[in-house]
Amino acid sequence: MKHSLTALLLTLALFCCLLTGCGPTPGTEPDDSNSGGVSAPKLQPSIVMESFSAYHDAAGEDVARYVFRATNPNTAYSVSRARVDLTLKDAAGNVQETTYFMLQTIAPGDTVRFAYTYKCKKGVPASAAYTQPSTTASSFQPSAENVRSSDLHAVVTGHSTTSGLNYTVISGTVRNLSKYTCNRTRVSVILKKNGKVVSSDFVLLTTPIPSGKESSFFISHASDIGFDPAETEVVAIPW
């Protein structure tokens, strides 16, 4: 009789469980903070150095100039504030100095190209090395109103060199084709000779560009690097 009563109680407990349903084990719920309620891993962004040049320019400064290409492989998250460390070396391969910069927001699945310049403190370096971007948990944000690099259309409209100055002023415009406002825009000019990158420069526009509007930019670049409009590339990205 005692065994029969125990079996009956177990059966009733099982029946109640079936009626009420059983929730998932704590900690196993999918992360549905991204679109579609589908769990997505947070993938690290990657970066490639397309070109590097360094020289003592006409303004008397030792400058290292880079062109980078960075990719966000995530489809559900934008990535921001990712750190890239740079190492400058002399001709013998010894470390001359180090620095770093922070990647700003890259939309999900987007690839951005941009120039970076650094005023060297210990002479003209012979080579440069870099690390892949490092992130923190706050670097990943669910996809929202992200402007993509393809949404920004930049063109060079003119250039001029003032007598007595060592700079060429490169001017142009950026139009925002996105349906969102671009709050900060990085405009890079990439100068080439016979198809090969010989120098680069950039300017950061901090005035927001509303959807469908355009903004002007001016970049003062050392004039010891010849400016050829036919071999100059201009790129604008959200930053």
Side-chain angles (χ1 to χ4, degrees):
M1 180 69 180
K2 184 176 181 180
H3 292 295
S4 298
L5 182 59
T6 300
L8 178 60
L9 291 174
L10 289 173
T11 301
L12 289 173
L14 178 61
F15 181 72
C16 291
C17 184
L18 290 172
L19 287 176
T20 58
C22 295
T25 303
T28 63
E29 295 90 349
D31 176 10
D32 58 3
S33 60
N34 51 70
S35 60
V38 178
S39 179
K42 295 179 175 66
L43 305 175
Q44 293 299 316
S46 63
I47 196 167
V48 173
M49 184 173 71
E50 292 188 359
S51 71
F52 166 76
S53 60
Y55 47 85
H56 187 77
D57 68 16
E61 298 176 327
D62 298 325
V63 184
R65 301 185 183 277
Y66 306 78
V67 176
F68 286 104
R69 182 177 71 253
T71 299
N72 174 12
N74 295 278
T75 58
Y77 303 99
S78 62
V79 177
S80 62
R81 302 295 296 169
R83 173 171 167 150
V84 178
D85 291 297
L86 302 175
T87 302
L88 302 174
K89 300 179 180 181
D90 61 21
N94 301 313
V95 175
Q96 200 163 296
E97 56 184 302
T98 59
T99 185
Y100 73 91
F101 65 86
M102 307 296 288
L103 285 171
Q104 298 304 312
T105 303
I106 307 177
D110 201 11
T111 295
V112 297
R113 294 177 68 235
F114 60 93
Y116 173 76
T117 64
Y118 175 70
K119 294 182 180 180
C120 307
K121 301 176 179 63
K122 298 182 179 180
V124 178
S127 63
Y130 63 98
T131 65
Q132 288 301 305
S134 59
T135 59
T136 63
S138 62
S139 298
F140 300 89
Q141 297 296 328
S143 178
E145 298 180 354
N146 297 123
V147 177
R148 304 178 66 82
S149 58
S150 58
D151 294 327
L152 299 176
H153 180 62
V155 295
V156 172
T157 57
H159 68 283
S160 62
T161 301
T162 302
S163 177
L165 297 180
N166 295 319
Y167 292 96
T168 296
V169 177
I170 304 168
S171 57
T173 60
V174 181
R175 177 167 289 276
N176 179 10
L177 304 178
S178 168
K179 62 181 179 180
Y180 308 118
T181 295
C182 189
N183 293 311
R184 286 159 50 98
T185 307
R186 187 184 185 101
V187 183
S188 302
V189 291
I190 303 170
L191 284 68
K192 302 177 182 180
K193 186 174 183 179
N194 298 324
K196 181 180 179 181
V197 176
V198 293
S199 188
S200 59
D201 216 330
F202 75 93
V203 65
L204 182 63
L205 306 180
T206 56
T207 300
I209 307 176
S211 172
K213 302 297 183 179
E214 69 178 28
S215 179
S216 300
F217 69 83
F218 302 90
I219 297 177
S220 297
H221 189 72
S223 58
D224 50 351
I225 301 297
F227 176 77
D228 182 353
E231 287 202 280
T232 298
E233 184 180 3
V234 58
V235 181
I237 62 172
W239 195 258

